[in-house]
Amino acid sequence: MPVPNNPGGRVAVLGAGPAGMAAALSIAQAGHEVTVYERYREARPAGNILNLWPPPLKALRVLGVDTEDLGSPTDSEFRNLRGHVRVHVRQDPETKRAYGGGFIGLLRPELYERMLAAIPPGTLRFNQQVTRIEQNEQAVTLHFADGSTAEHDVLVGADGIDSLVRRTLWGDTPKREHRLHIFGGFTFTNVPGSEPNMSVLTHSRTVQGSWTSIRHKGRDGFQWWVLTATDPDAPAPSDLKAAATALAAAFPAPLPGLIAQTEPDNVQRWVLRDRPRLKQWSKGRSTLVGDAAHPTSPYAAYGAGMSIEDGYFLGRALRGVDLTDPTAVQRALQSYEDPRKPHTARQVQQAWILGKVFHHAPALLRPVRDFILDHTPLLQKVAGDTNPREIQKQLALIQD
């Protein structure tokens, strides 16, 4: 991709997750010098299982990431325990031809490896703990735990739900507890009832039990997860696989069999949380991407995907911008965040609402809820029709 004819500025990215790596790739394509500071000694995947929609896949391709044979394309359905299909996620035929399906099921380590391979040498700096951030009209100054400092023209906070950059810009806010937790794992063993290229989300009265085809480094398999209400302050179960097995006992094949074939070390647990929506992401020479801007429940299955999209759009907003000009920087950062906020807020809030509907409805209302979901098109309209239209809008905005 040609680099725009503009004097390159100096951009710091805090955090080497998908948001930070995507931002670094896009900003480098915009002709600026990028440094990614990561507090750990390596870029560490936060979890194992992952789904991506077509827009982040398109963004990755444009950013120079190798997406050949990355993940397993799937068709997606919501079902009840009896197998009745409540939602079929509709797909545009052209999009399906280009990307193979809706969800792309994969494991996080391979995504990280592919993105890291595309990062220009010398961009990543590990074991860099930033303790304090200052900014003025001329620059942003990072203060590190070892006493050193670094100056940059722009700072990108890609440092997750507990973002130092977000706290510095906008102060601290409490996390919003969803009072849910999820157990997830993967296996490369086929079991009765499993179907290739499918993503099936099944709900009982109180539990979601789901599975998705995956492809990881040339191997086909399946990821699964079970999700239910919890006290967020309660200790984690001592045996994660046993807890997942008990939650999935009433579900149809292949879910119980997939869990049975999963190695205990390949089972993980997350407590679901997000933060209140920010009206503004950017201030001065600093902005936010990914979970630093809009922490997202896994119920959306879009957290990593939106993070990648954020990074892509931020770099595009900085093309041709003189980063020594504070007014130009602020205008560019605002042009990045304004189109992103409605889309990301909708995904975050939909995840919150679905968690409430499926896992926190009063016991007396659950039969009524299930009757409505089984016999009306309500859920189809919300999850099967509206969400794909949002996907098409995002695809159209990502240009090579």
Side-chain angles (χ1 to χ4, degrees), residues 93-361:
E94 185 176 336
T95 300
K96 189 167 184 177
R97 281 194 296 272
Y99 299 97
F103 273 157
I104 307 298
L106 67 157
L107 299 182
R108 285 178 183 267
E110 185 169 12
L111 173 64
Y112 275 59
E113 290 174 13
R114 301 281 187 107
M115 296 186 76
L116 285 167
I119 297 287
T123 300
L124 289 162
R125 299 188 185 178
F126 295 107
N127 291 316
Q128 300 289 307
Q129 179 69 52
V130 177
T131 58
R132 186 162 55 92
I133 299 162
E134 294 178 314
Q135 67 171 333
N136 54 36
E137 284 206 344
Q138 284 71 47
V140 181
T141 303
L142 305 181
H143 296 260
F144 297 91
D146 63 4
S148 63
T149 61
E151 275 196 0
H152 295 270
D153 298 308
V154 171
L155 171 63
V156 181
D159 46 343
I161 190 171
D162 295 313
S163 169
L164 172 64
V165 181
R166 176 174 172 141
R167 288 199 309 273
T168 301
L169 298 181
W170 304 112
D172 203 3
T173 55
K175 294 175 185 174
R176 179 170 64 169
E177 297 286 357
H178 289 224
R179 303 191 69 81
L180 301 170
H181 63 166
I182 182 172
F183 300 85
F186 63 92
T187 179
F188 295 101
T189 304
N190 282 318
V191 303
S194 58
E195 304 172 56
N197 303 113
M198 280 299 296
S199 175
V200 177
L201 290 77
T202 300
H203 290 89
S204 72
R205 288 280 167 88
T206 58
V207 179
Q208 182 193 133
S210 305
W211 56 272
T212 299
S213 299
I214 62 170
R215 188 162 176 82
H216 177 68
K217 297 186 176 181
R219 298 180 68 191
D220 292 317
F222 297 90
Q223 58 178 261
W224 56 265
W225 62 94
V226 287
L227 189 154
T228 192
T230 190
D231 177 354
D233 296 323
S238 58
D239 187 331
L240 299 184
K241 181 176 177 178
T245 299
L247 287 171
F251 282 77
L255 184 60
L258 293 174
I259 297 174
Q261 292 296 326
T262 300
E263 294 294 328
D265 288 347
N266 292 335
V267 181
Q268 294 186 322
R269 170 185 177 264
W270 304 265
V271 176
L272 276 56
R273 301 180 171 98
D274 61 21
R275 286 190 187 276
R277 182 174 67 90
L278 283 175
K279 294 182 180 179
Q280 177 74 14
W281 295 356
S282 309
K283 181 186 288 187
R285 293 179 167 274
S286 301
T287 193
L288 305 170
V289 293
D291 279 352
H294 46 80
T296 308
S297 159
Y299 226 110
Y302 210 168
M306 288 194 297
S307 296
I308 292 166
E309 293 169 13
D310 285 351
Y312 164 85
F313 286 113
L314 175 59
R316 268 48 193 173
L318 293 175
R319 290 172 69 88
V321 177
D322 179 1
L323 300 190
T324 64
D325 180 347
T327 301
V329 168
Q330 291 168 24
R331 187 185 310 117
L333 296 183
Q334 200 66 43
S335 73
Y336 145 69
E337 71 169 77
D338 281 348
R340 295 296 296 158
K341 285 184 289 194
H343 172 64
T344 56
R346 179 184 179 279
Q347 298 297 330
V348 171
Q349 191 62 14
Q350 180 173 286
W352 165 261
I353 292 170
L354 288 175
K356 288 286 190 184
V357 167
F358 282 113
H359 306 287
H360 293 303

Side-chain angles (χ1 to χ4, degrees), residues 68-83:
E68 182 69 26
D69 201 33
L70 176 66
S72 171
T74 67
D75 287 306
S76 302
E77 293 182 346
F78 285 41
R79 301 175 183 172
N80 67 16
L81 274 182
R82 300 182 302 279

Side-chain angles (χ1 to χ4, degrees), residues 13-28:
V13 178
L14 208 58
M21 289 191 282
L25 289 167
S26 191
I27 293 167

